Amino acid sequence: QKEVEQDPGPLSVPEGAIVSLNCTYSNSAFQYFMWYRQYSRKGPELLMYTYSSGNKEDGRFTAQVDKSSKYISLFIRDSQPSDSATYLCAMRGGNSKLTFGKGITLSVRP
Amino acid sequence: NAGVTQTPKFQVLKTGQSMTLQCAQDMNHNSMYWYRQDPGMGLRLIYYSASEGTTDKGEVPNGYNVSRLNKREFSLRLESAAPSQTSVYFCASTSGGSYNEQFFGPGTRLTVL
C-alpha cells in the first residue's frame, strides 16, 4: 500500500459545481497537509495547507483533514474554468521531505 | 526575482548519452529537490539536498547523480540515459518551516530514444 492514495480521475464538472478532491494516507506520523495546484506544462504551486485535523477556508477553497480516518479533502465551491488543473495532495511528518499523491486532473466546463 | 529556474526546457537524448539538468534558485533557500513526474505516477523524489554540502537519495535515485554546487545551484546528471528515464523533471527549493512549502521550477521535458 502506498503511503498516500489519491483518486486517479480525471474529473470533469460544469462551471459552478462543487468539487470534492480526496486523499487517504497510511503514515500516522504525517502532521502537515497540503494541496498543490499544477497547470498544464507548469510546475506545481502551493494552494492550501493545514496542520493536524480541522478545516481551513480560503475564498472558494476549503481544506479538511480528518486524522482519525487518515483522510484529507479539498473542496472547491462555484468552480470556474480557471480552476482546471491537476491537484496534488502532499503531506509530511518530522523530516523535510514531502510525500505527494499521484494527482487528479480537474476540468471545469464553461 | 526569478524564483527557481531550470535549463534546458526540452531535451531529446539517445540511449546511452549523458546530460546534466541545471537548477538554480534566488530565494536563499537551504533545501533543494529533484523530482520526476510520469503519467499515473505523480511526483517522485529522486534526490534532495537539505543544505549546502549534503545530498541524500530519494525514492527513485538509480541512474542519477546530483551535485549541490553552492547554495543556489543543484544539478542532476544522467550518466547513461535509458528510455525509462523519459519524464518531466522538476527542481524545487524550500526555506523550511512547518509546511516546508516547496517552490517548483518550470520543468525539463526529457525524451530518451
Side-chain angles (χ1 to χ4, degrees):
Chain A
Q1 180 191 11
K2 285 190 70 70
E3 280 192 301
V4 179
E5 301 277 3
Q6 184 171 5
D7 294 340
L11 183 62
S12 180
V13 301
E15 184 174 353
I18 296 174
V19 176
S20 172
L21 308 176
N22 309 297
C23 287
T24 58
Y25 64 95
S26 58
N27 188 342
S28 299
F30 289 145
Q31 298 182 60
Y32 302 94
F33 304 91
M34 290 140 277
W35 288 93
Y36 280 77
R37 179 172 61 192
Q38 183 178 21
Y39 290 114
S40 180
R41 296 185 173 265
K42 301 287 187 182
E45 294 178 310
L46 182 64
L47 179 63
M48 292 196 70
Y49 58 87
T50 52
Y51 171 69
S52 194
S53 286
N55 291 0
K56 184 172 184 178
E57 189 173 317
D58 184 2
R60 296 183 295 108
F61 298 88
T62 300
Q64 194 172 76
V65 174
D66 182 349
K67 288 193 73 179
S68 62
S69 302
K70 295 190 176 66
Y71 191 89
I72 73 170
S73 300
L74 177 70
F75 298 97
I76 307 174
R77 291 183 299 282
D78 187 25
S79 56
Q80 301 295 308
S82 58
D83 296 329
S84 297
T86 296
Y87 292 80
L88 303 104
C89 60
M91 45 199 82
R92 81 171 186 92
N95 61 32
S96 65
K97 292 186 290 184
L98 295 182
T99 301
F100 286 88
K102 292 183 179 181
I104 183 169
T105 298
L106 170 68
S107 174
V108 181
R109 308 185 302 272
Chain B
N1 200 351
V4 179
T5 57
Q6 292 182 237
T7 56
K9 286 186 169 49
F10 303 93
Q11 185 71 48
V12 179
L13 292 177
K14 294 181 180 178
T15 296
Q17 287 185 316
S18 62
M19 78 162 295
T20 299
L21 282 65
Q22 306 285 356
C23 173
Q25 51 90 11
D26 61 3
M27 296 174 282
N28 200 37
H29 285 168
N30 291 319
S31 302
M32 298 184 74
Y33 306 80
W34 275 106
Y35 294 91
R36 59 179 289 173
Q37 187 174 39
D38 303 290
M41 300 296 290
L43 281 166
R44 292 184 292 171
L45 183 64
I46 304 171
Y47 270 94
Y48 68 104
S49 172
S51 61
E52 188 179 353
T54 68
T55 60
D56 285 288
K57 296 178 180 179
E59 182 184 354
V60 288
N62 291 345
Y64 306 94
N65 284 302
V66 291
S67 295
R68 182 75 182 267
L69 304 170
N70 47 55
K71 192 171 186 178
R72 289 187 64 247
E73 299 172 289
F74 189 36
S75 63
L76 178 72
R77 182 159 179 85
L78 287 69
E79 291 291 351
S80 179
S84 61
Q85 295 177 305
T86 294
S87 188
V88 182
Y89 290 86
F90 288 100
C91 177
S93 71
T94 179
S95 61
S98 297
Y99 296 95
N100 199 36
E101 179 182 358
Q102 295 192 7
F103 294 83
F104 285 81
T108 294
R109 294 182 174 273
L110 175 67
T111 300
V112 183
L113 302 175

